[in-house]
Amino acid sequence: MPIGHYIKEIGRGARGAKPLARAQAADLFGQVLDSQVTDLEIGAFCLAMRIKGETPEELAGFLDATNARLAKFSTTTGRPLIVLPSYNGARKLPLLTPLLALLIARGGFPVLVHGSNTEGLDSTRVVASKVLTALGMPARTAIDRLADDEVAFAPTALLCPGLARLLEVRRVVGLRNPAHSVVKLMQPCTGDCVVVGSYTHAAYADSMAATYALMGSTALLSRGLEGESVADPRRRAQVDGFVHGQRVALQAQQAGTLAEIEGLPETIDVDTCVRYTRRVLDGALPIPEALARQVEHITHIAHAAFGNAGRVGFP
């Protein structure tokens, strides 16, 4: 059915708009994902939500609709899957998301990195799919089961074609929409998982935390590196964990920025990222302290949520 009655509620501007109930948000988003609405309606929805902002109840509804349509990975042993959304890429510093994924996997966890290029085809950003491909891990073309020490990259279109189409709207209107929030919160797996979430603005930290609570998610949440889920190696950020929706304080923010990280390259191209990643994994360069702590926090949350299934040794 048309979504005009929903747009009428959310499209009255920042002050006049009314939030949708969770069930309404799920119905609206499901129709968008299923392409049951016109391009004009999709554009109106995206712009209205951009002006109004998403409430946690609305995000929970969007996630309900996404979950019902999401293709999901599984693991071979039942150990929790660590999920790393990767949608921003690197613009100023080397892309460290693949390194984080491989450090986690080396400790015994299966890791799923998922993403797509949401910055535009002409973007100069380095994205995780290219670095992982150069490391011998090309994007998956089918849903399968992951071993405990395996890293896989899944394009968004493989997980949910409708969600990938909605992300593409940014290339037309130039603005983010609710899909950009959903991909950082969703759980593309059939069993236990830990979602490593990140934010760039404090307002998103609050809405993501409230959504984790509503969804009963197990997750890690902190300010990421240029929008990626990996920690910024130059800073000690606040880190919060969520165990089935219950918040756990893991790390307080510390003022200051390190001027230099040993071995961290100054260029960000794919080949440089690959060389740096391999040298860290081989022990030729130290693991940045912020990443080491991040892996420890992920391990802690996995164990707290899932018991012995999450008990692994840090590499």
Side-chain angles (χ1 to χ4, degrees), residues 27-308:
D27 178 46
L28 185 162
F29 207 67
Q31 292 187 59
V32 171
L33 293 180
D34 292 342
S35 298
Q36 295 180 350
V37 297
T38 65
D39 289 346
L40 182 60
E41 288 173 303
I42 291 175
F45 161 67
C46 291
L47 291 176
M49 292 302 302
R50 176 63 174 175
I51 294 169
K52 184 184 81 65
E54 306 126 355
T55 68
E57 284 281 345
E58 288 170 336
L59 282 172
F62 297 158
L63 285 164
D64 290 339
T66 301
N67 185 60
R69 294 158 175 81
L70 200 58
K72 300 177 182 180
F73 281 76
S74 60
T75 62
T76 56
T77 64
R79 179 164 285 168
L81 180 67
I82 310 303
V83 179
L84 300 179
S86 182
Y87 287 82
N88 292 68
R91 182 168 56 92
K92 297 180 180 179
L93 293 178
L95 182 63
L96 300 180
T97 305
L99 174 58
L100 174 63
L102 289 162
L103 288 172
I104 296 168
R106 197 166 73 174
F109 283 113
V111 182
L112 177 65
V113 184
H114 65 85
S116 59
N117 182 2
T118 63
E119 299 298 326
L121 293 174
D122 58 345
S123 173
T124 58
R125 291 180 183 239
V126 174
V127 295
S129 58
K130 291 185 178 180
V131 176
L132 288 169
T133 296
L135 286 166
M137 289 164 280
R140 297 298 175 98
T141 58
I143 303 297
D144 55 14
R145 294 164 63 88
L146 303 184
D148 286 348
D149 58 353
E150 186 175 5
V151 174
F153 177 83
T156 313
L158 177 64
L159 301 173
C160 182
L163 202 55
R165 288 193 299 270
L166 190 54
L167 290 171
E168 292 286 325
V169 174
R170 182 174 185 174
R171 297 185 181 180
V172 178
V173 302
L175 298 171
R176 70 183 299 279
N177 63 64
H180 295 85
S181 296
V182 168
V183 293
K184 293 192 174 185
L185 293 160
M186 66 186 188
Q187 302 179 25
C189 59
T190 58
D192 298 332
C193 74
V194 179
V195 177
V196 183
S198 66
Y199 57 89
T200 53
H201 304 290
Y204 290 118
D206 295 337
S207 64
M208 290 178 72
T211 306
Y212 285 143
L214 280 173
M215 300 298 295
S217 302
T218 295
L220 203 73
L221 180 62
S222 65
R223 188 181 294 275
L225 178 59
E226 298 189 86
E228 287 286 301
S229 53
V230 64
D232 188 331
R234 305 165 300 175
R235 302 184 177 97
R236 187 182 180 96
Q238 177 180 330
V239 181
D240 292 298
F242 294 83
V243 177
H244 306 305
Q246 297 297 312
R247 193 170 195 154
V248 180
L250 295 176
Q251 178 175 291
Q253 181 177 349
Q254 189 176 81
T257 301
L258 295 175
E260 184 177 349
I261 304 297
E262 183 179 352
L264 191 69
E266 296 182 357
T267 54
I268 68 166
D269 61 276
V270 171
D271 290 342
T272 299
C273 289
V274 168
R275 285 195 299 270
Y276 175 71
T277 299
R278 285 175 171 159
R279 292 194 70 195
V280 173
L281 293 172
D282 291 343
L285 289 173
I287 301 171
E289 183 181 355
L291 270 69
R293 287 196 303 266
Q294 190 174 20
V295 175
E296 291 173 345
H297 293 323
I298 292 168
T299 300
H300 173 77
I301 288 297
H303 174 60
F306 307 117
N308 289 332

Side-chain angles (χ1 to χ4, degrees), residues 4-36:
H5 60 296
Y6 293 135
I7 295 173
K8 184 177 179 180
E9 296 298 316
I10 64 177
R12 297 178 184 270
R15 295 184 178 181
K18 297 179 181 179
L20 299 176
R22 181 169 175 171
Q24 292 175 312
D27 178 46
L28 185 162
F29 207 67
Q31 292 187 59
V32 171
L33 293 180
D34 292 342
S35 298
Q36 295 180 350

